Structure formats: C-alpha cells, structure tokens
C-alpha cells in the first residue's frame, strides 16, 4: 500500500527542501485512474457526490481517457509515471465517495493525477468542496 498522500504535506516538504538548498521549490500534482481501480459503489453515494459525466481510462499511455472532455479535479503532478500511478491508486480508494474516475494525464515532463469529468464547473467545485471537508486534500477544478 502506498504511503498517504497529502498535497499540503508535499508542499511543506518542498518548501523545507527549498529552504535547505536555497532554491525555489516547484510542486506539481496530478491525478491518474487505472481501469482496475474503478470506484466501488457505496450506499448513499448518490447523496454525497454529483455523478460525473463519464468514466475515463488512463491517458498516460495514450488510451481513450485522453478524449474525455469536461471539468476535472486535479490532486497533484509528479515527475514520474510510477509515482503518479501510485498516488492515483491511493486516491481512488480513499475518495471512492466521489463516484468519479481517476486519470493520469501527461503534460510535458509531468504526470497529473485528476478525477472526473464533470459537465459543469459548479459540479466539479462542489465535489472539490466535499473532498476538502472530509480530507486534508485541496484539489482544484481544471478544464480539459
């Protein structure tokens, strides 16, 4: 099982590393979804989360998930695909109440871990609010 992922903790680690080395820290976070890690259905999940528009597959390998349009919640960005997939797997289990698919999307040298899509920004923002209320994570909505 991968270690717990916290964007806030990662930001603190990056800031501490920057202070020690005198270099500015850059933290990138992304979301990744593995088809085998589809969120589990839970009683009352419909009351907790808005239903996403579609269920994407991982786009880091050029699969069909790259074509999914809509608003996505971004949880982090990683320098390695392995780390992004590990975070995605952990987040998919931890945030199964979202009812959303998780995806890893490559953007240049970074692998972004995202969940979604939602058809409207307001729906994605509401889902982000639920995540913030129940965890220490701070996702943000992005259009893709």
């Amino acid at each position: 099982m991968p270690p717990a992922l916290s964007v806030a903790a990662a930001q603190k680690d990056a800031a501490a590393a920057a202070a020690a080395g005198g270099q500015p820290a850059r933290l990138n976070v992304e979301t990744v979804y593995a088809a085998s890690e589809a969120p589990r259905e839970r009683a009352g999940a419909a009351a907790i989360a808005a239903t996403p528009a579609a269920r994407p597959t991982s786009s880091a390998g050029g699969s069909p998930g790259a074509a999914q349009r809509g608003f996505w919640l971004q949880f982090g960005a990683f320098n390695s695909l392995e780390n992004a997939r590990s975070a995605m797997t952990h987040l998919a289990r931890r945030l199964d109440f979202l009812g959303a698919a998780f995806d890893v999307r490559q953007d240049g040298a970074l692998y972004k871990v995202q969940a979604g899509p939602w058809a409207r920004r307001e729906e994605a923002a509401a889902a982000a609010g639920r995540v913030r209320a129940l965890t220490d994570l701070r996702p943000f909505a992005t259009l893709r």
Side-chain angles (χ1 to χ4, degrees), residues 5-110:
L5 175 70
S6 165
V7 174
Q11 289 173 334
K12 289 178 189 174
D13 291 345
Q23 296 292 331
R26 181 174 180 173
L27 177 65
N28 294 306
V29 180
E30 253 180 282
T31 306
V32 177
Y33 173 78
S36 64
E37 291 294 327
R40 297 178 302 276
E41 293 297 321
R42 216 191 315 177
I48 297 174
T51 303
R55 296 234 187 261
T57 57
S58 178
S59 61
S63 65
Q68 294 294 327
R69 300 272 182 208
F71 292 93
W72 291 72
L73 295 183
Q74 183 165 320
F75 289 89
F78 300 86
N79 289 325
S80 78
L81 180 58
E82 181 181 339
N83 288 346
R85 285 183 176 160
S86 175
M88 179 194 71
T89 300
H90 173 77
L91 288 167
R93 281 190 211 121
R94 184 175 178 192
L95 303 175
D96 64 345
F97 64 86
L98 280 178
F102 282 77
D103 185 38
V104 172
R105 182 174 185 121
Q106 186 172 4
D107 185 7
L110 297 174

